[in-house]
Amino acid sequence: MSSPKVFIYTPVDQTGKSHERLTAAGIDLKLGDIVWSKLDGNLDIAGQIGKGTAALMGVAIMRIPITREVMQVSKDLRIVAKYTVGTDDVDVEAATEMGILVTHCPTEANWSGVAEGAMAMMLALLKKVRERDRFVKEGGWRDASLTGQFLGKRQDGYEGLTIGIIGLGRIGSRLADLLAPWRVRLIACDPYKGDEQFIHHNVDRVDMDTLLRESDVVSLHTNLTAETRGMIGAEQLGKMKSTAVLLNTSRGPVVNGDALFEVLDQGRIAAAAIDVFEEEPVPAQSPLLGLGDKILVSPHVVTFNIGAGLTTAIPWATDHVLAALRGEVPEHVYNPEVIDKWLDRFGGKNLL
């Protein structure tokens, strides 16, 4: 029996230990040359997939979509295993139709890191951290323009801020937990979560319009789907307070970038902090980059933390591939509706 083929089109394991583990299992491993953090290398992965490839592995990069055409290159393809939480670069519907598993890695280091990053970005905006730092370095000292906002409710009658969370899944609920001691008013919108999720995290359920109208901070924590693509556009931004700030650490295409530029440029919302863009890497000529302190930007690295990031996900993704090649259903299947069909095709058929 020939060795099963696995193609890691965006290698991320700098130690090489997971590669050694795969080859030790008898796998014919092929590594792509894409440097995922810079998107250097051959992005035409369809032309690099061997006919007998049983597994694809990589990170979520929108410029390297795993389309139906890509997956059709190998009729033996069993699994598309992502090192990332996000799978929005994969045509999951096509994979399901074709009987292919899509797995992802929702490690706590990843999703909780997003919540902590959103918290840091929010505080940087509200407390004017960048402005204060720059003011002192330029020779200034104490100025009314450096006045920040107090977050929580106080005994002197100050009601505190309202924080609106769109998407109360792992990340949104962790952000709510981080904010609990701050005594802010927490509201959220998520039609896919039951009341128990809201109660458990001490968050009031509201509809989208109410959240946009009443929030001082709107933080986005949704997957990218057909439903959420362009979810925040001119109409939605127009409902926000002129003093409100928007945080996007989810996916760039959830927010219409042109509409965001307009409301920031015209002062119709106060500020925004974004880790993700509609096009990545963000073009140097993007008008969003010319808004000064009205926008805080980050290069899609909100999960980059020492000992975290993709480090903890690499063993998970490796486990997923090994299980699938043994003919077993791995953990963290993103498209569970495919499992019965997949078992009919590959169940119990061990390639190792």
Side-chain angles (χ1 to χ4, degrees):
M1 183 176 67
S2 61
S3 299
K5 296 180 180 179
V6 173
F7 179 32
I8 305 179
Y9 58 93
T10 49
V12 293
D13 184 0
Q14 296 181 355
T15 70
K17 291 180 180 179
S18 67
H19 306 158
E20 294 171 4
R21 186 177 167 205
L22 291 168
T23 54
I27 288 169
D28 179 4
L29 183 63
K30 179 179 179 179
L31 302 180
D33 65 349
I34 298 171
V35 180
W36 76 275
S37 60
K38 298 180 181 179
L39 282 188
D40 291 339
N42 187 355
L43 305 186
D44 178 24
I45 65 170
Q48 304 176 69
I49 299 173
K51 294 293 183 182
T53 298
L56 293 177
M57 303 180 73
V59 296
I61 301 176
M62 295 307 296
R63 285 179 60 189
I64 313 174
I66 308 302
T67 62
R68 182 186 297 271
E69 290 70 29
V70 168
M71 292 182 282
Q72 283 176 336
V73 172
S74 175
K75 63 181 179 59
D76 301 311
L77 188 63
R78 296 187 175 199
I79 183 173
V80 177
K82 309 303 295 187
Y83 293 108
T84 43
V85 176
T87 61
D88 38 277
D89 60 319
V90 181
D91 188 338
V92 177
E93 182 177 345
T96 302
E97 291 177 8
M98 298 167 68
I100 298 170
L101 292 172
V102 178
T103 58
H104 66 150
C105 293
T107 61
E108 184 177 13
N110 192 317
W111 58 260
S112 183
V114 176
E116 292 183 358
M119 184 79 172
M121 296 172 97
M122 177 179 65
L123 290 173
L125 289 179
L126 296 178
K127 298 298 185 181
K128 296 186 179 290
V129 173
R130 296 170 298 161
E131 295 90 332
R132 293 172 179 181
D133 172 77
R134 184 174 61 250
F135 195 77
V136 174
K137 289 176 178 176
E138 292 176 350
W141 194 252
R142 289 190 174 177
D143 187 87
S145 66
L146 304 177
T147 304
Q149 294 191 64
F150 196 96
L151 272 73
K153 188 175 183 178
R154 300 194 303 254
Q155 292 184 359
D156 61 11
Y158 177 74
E159 289 297 323
L161 300 184
T162 295
I163 313 296
I165 301 172
I166 299 177
L168 200 62
R170 285 182 293 262
I171 300 170
S173 59
R174 178 58 65 90
L175 179 62
D177 292 346
L178 292 174
L179 284 164
W182 294 72
R183 295 184 293 181
V184 296
R185 178 192 176 212
L186 287 170
I187 60 177
C189 174
D190 192 328
Y192 300 102
K193 298 298 179 183
D195 290 342
E196 66 278 2
Q197 180 84 342
F198 289 78
I199 294 169
H200 181 72
H201 297 284
N202 197 29
V203 179
D204 292 332
R205 183 193 286 274
V206 297
D207 59 31
M208 178 74 82
D209 284 352
T210 301
L211 185 145
L212 293 170
R213 287 197 311 269
E214 298 186 5
S215 296
D216 298 292
V217 177
V218 174
S219 192
L220 300 171
H221 301 288
T222 69
N223 293 324
L224 180 62
T225 65
E227 181 183 7
T228 62
R229 184 179 293 273
M231 179 176 66
I232 303 298
E235 179 183 353
Q236 291 74 29
L237 292 166
K239 295 176 181 177
M240 292 175 60
K241 298 177 180 180
S242 61
T243 55
V245 303
L246 177 74
L247 312 177
N248 187 12
T249 55
S250 60
R251 288 293 184 265
V254 171
V255 178
N256 183 301
D258 291 339
L260 179 60
F261 170 79
E262 290 293 333
V263 295
L264 287 170
D265 188 50
Q266 296 171 13
R268 291 191 280 127
I269 68 171
I274 56 176
D275 180 59
V276 288
F277 296 83
E278 289 179 286
E279 181 182 350
E280 295 181 353
V282 59
Q285 67 273 22
S286 170
L288 289 171
L289 302 183
L291 289 168
D293 289 335
K294 290 184 177 181
I295 192 165
L296 170 63
V297 295
S298 171
H300 204 151
V301 294
V302 72
T303 61
F304 278 27
N305 294 291
I306 295 172
L310 297 179
T311 304
T312 55
I314 290 170
W316 283 26
T318 306
D319 288 343
H320 298 162
V321 168
L322 290 172
L325 298 188
R326 290 193 299 265
E328 303 167 0
V329 177
E331 290 188 282
H332 311 115
V333 175
Y334 188 80
N335 57 339
E337 61 274 17
V338 79
I339 290 175
D340 288 343
K341 185 174 184 178
W342 188 88
L343 286 171
D344 287 340
R345 295 186 68 203
F346 302 115
K349 298 177 182 179
N350 191 350
L351 298 178
L352 301 178

